[in-house]
């Protein structure tokens, strides 16, 4: 049983608005490896950052398509864990609750979180790599790397690759939610990837209490007022209990 500092719980109970940023660590207990975990099988010899880029796709669309096809298959089989479900329940405890995720697996929505700000896209969606703007659900016609029916360009997964800008509307919402909250949680993220990793600092600069829940110290631990280390699937249900 985790004992949360009583001052932390009473500050959280008084909070009107709470913003949460999650990273790959929140999906780890659903069986989805994080970026820092060694990838398994065929992908073991690749650093995901080498595959999650426009250059990699230009060089070898088939390889990148297969990388995401495998990750999508894994995400399809994955089920939300108690950490996802606790966050979905937590949103009802506060006047304003914003959930921002770096994850592309769609598990927060499957767990019942009502509005998720997906900073890095969603690997269940695909889009045209050309200019026709086609966005759709995953097609799996077994082709090497399927092409867009409208314009013939290769189809690609609708996630934000390294070196690509984040979706403006989502980033705007995430920044607003980070600048206007009483408590900011950073959960299951190494706090390395920009600009997501700067949201906590924005919150803190506006006077928010910064709470880190992570398996181990991260690049943003130094900013945290409260640090709770362990598995988010264990910590979050107990935090929810302490709030009820
Ligand atoms: C951009 C989708 C403008 C794809 C992802 C400033 C400084 C330095 C570099 C940059 C900078 N600005 C931009 C950059 C470049 C780059 C960047 O940040 N690089 C990093 C590596 C330094 N950023 C970008 O390119 C971004 N674009 O800034 O646009 C621009 C435009 C043009 C030219 C230049 C700039 C785009 C970033 C988005 C990349 N896409 N995902 C895909 O998924 O395939 S990011 C991807 O990696 C994930 O989404 C995740 O967010 C991120 C990190 O992955 P992980 O480390 O695995 O996960 P996480 O960080 O969440 O760490 C896991 C943590 O969980 C660990 O701490 C672990 O201890 C913990 N954990 C594990 N198990 C548990 C747990 N915790 C709790 N419970 C557990 N059970
Ligand atoms: Zn097209």
């Amino acid at each position: 049983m985790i004992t949360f500092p009583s001052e932390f719980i009473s500050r959280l109970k008084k909070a009107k608005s709470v913003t949460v940023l999650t990273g790959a660590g929140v999906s780890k207990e659903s069986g989805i490896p994080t970026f820092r975990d060694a990838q398994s099988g065929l992908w073991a010899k690749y650093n995901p950052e080498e595959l999650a880029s426009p250059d990699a796709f230009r060089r070898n669309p088939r390889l990148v398509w297969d990388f995401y096809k495998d990750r999508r298959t894994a995400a399809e089989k994955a089920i939300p864990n108690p950490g996802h479900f606790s966050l979905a329940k937590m949103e009802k405890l506060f006047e304003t609750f914003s959930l921002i995720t770096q994850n592309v697996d769609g598990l927060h929505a499957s767990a019942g979180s009502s509005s998720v700000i997906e900073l890095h896209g969603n690997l269940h969606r695909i889009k045209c790599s050309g200019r026709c703007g086609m966005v759709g659900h995953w097609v799996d016609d077994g082709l090497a790397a399927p092409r867009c029916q409208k314009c013939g360009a290769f189809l690609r997964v609708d996630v934000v690759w390294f070196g690509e800008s984040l979706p403006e509307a989502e980033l705007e919402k995430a920044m607003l939610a980070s600048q206007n909250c009483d408590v900011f949680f950073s959960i299951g993220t190494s706090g390395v990837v920009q600009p997501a990793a700067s949201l906590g600092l924005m919150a803190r600069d506006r006077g928010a209490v910064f709470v880190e829940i992570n398996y181990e110290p991260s690049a943003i631990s130094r900013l945290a007022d409260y640090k709770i280390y362990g598995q988010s699937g264990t910590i979050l249900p107990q935090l929810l209990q302490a709030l009820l």
Side-chain angles (χ1 to χ4, degrees):
M1 196 58 182
I2 300 161
T3 320
F4 298 102
S6 52
E7 177 213 60
F8 163 56
I9 294 297
S10 67
R11 286 175 89 171
L12 192 47
K13 281 186 173 173
K14 285 191 206 104
K16 293 254 176 300
S17 75
V18 169
T19 293
V20 175
L21 170 70
T22 63
V26 163
S27 295
K28 177 80 180 276
E29 291 156 85
S30 296
I32 297 186
T34 68
F35 264 56
R36 268 137 202 75
D37 289 332
Q39 299 291 318
S40 57
L42 171 63
W43 310 112
K45 58 178 185 282
Y46 294 95
N47 167 351
E49 282 162 31
E50 290 163 353
L51 291 165
S53 81
D55 285 348
F57 185 69
R58 249 190 302 283
R59 275 197 310 274
N60 192 337
R62 157 99 200 227
L63 180 75
V64 175
W65 179 265
D66 285 348
F67 173 57
Y68 283 98
K69 195 165 119 183
D70 285 0
R71 283 180 59 196
R72 178 186 171 263
T73 311
E76 284 250 286
K77 287 192 196 118
I79 49 170
N81 63 59
H84 294 109
F85 288 117
S86 303
L87 287 170
K89 291 191 191 102
M90 219 175 268
E91 76 182 33
K92 301 179 182 58
L93 301 182
F94 301 96
E95 225 170 86
T96 315
F97 183 92
S98 306
L99 178 58
I100 307 164
T101 190
Q102 302 173 83
N103 300 337
V104 295
D105 54 36
L107 287 179
H108 283 304
S110 317
S113 288
S114 56
S115 71
V116 186
I117 301 172
E118 292 184 320
L119 277 187
H120 296 159
N122 185 312
L123 59 59
H124 297 291
R125 271 196 318 269
I126 55 165
K127 66 181 184 183
C128 175
S129 62
R131 298 185 194 290
C132 79
M134 188 287 282
V135 179
H137 285 283
W138 197 280
V139 284
D140 195 357
D141 53 13
L143 284 182
R147 288 183 178 268
C148 171
Q149 304 223 324
K150 274 171 86 177
C151 74
F154 282 116
L155 293 178
R156 55 164 283 183
V157 66
D158 189 12
V159 300
V160 180
W161 282 332
F162 288 96
E164 290 186 320
S165 303
L166 276 60
E168 258 173 59
E170 299 306 285
L171 184 54
E172 180 65 28
K173 276 191 277 183
M175 288 169 69
L176 273 176
S178 304
Q179 291 162 347
N180 299 284
C181 63
D182 303 318
V183 183
F184 183 95
F185 282 91
S186 175
I187 307 177
T189 179
S190 57
V192 166
V193 173
Q194 296 296 349
S198 302
L199 294 172
L201 191 59
M202 278 181 203
R204 195 173 150 66
D205 285 352
R206 296 286 185 100
V209 174
F210 189 117
V211 188
E212 176 174 46
I213 296 175
N214 203 53
Y215 190 67
E216 62 205 335
S218 73
I220 42 173
S221 298
R222 71 190 192 294
L223 297 175
D225 299 298
Y226 299 97
K227 302 165 198 165
I228 309 162
Y229 294 131
Q231 297 202 313
S232 49
T234 307
I235 295 166
L236 288 171
Q238 293 188 41
L239 178 59
L240 178 71
Q241 217 39 53
L243 289 173
L244 295 177

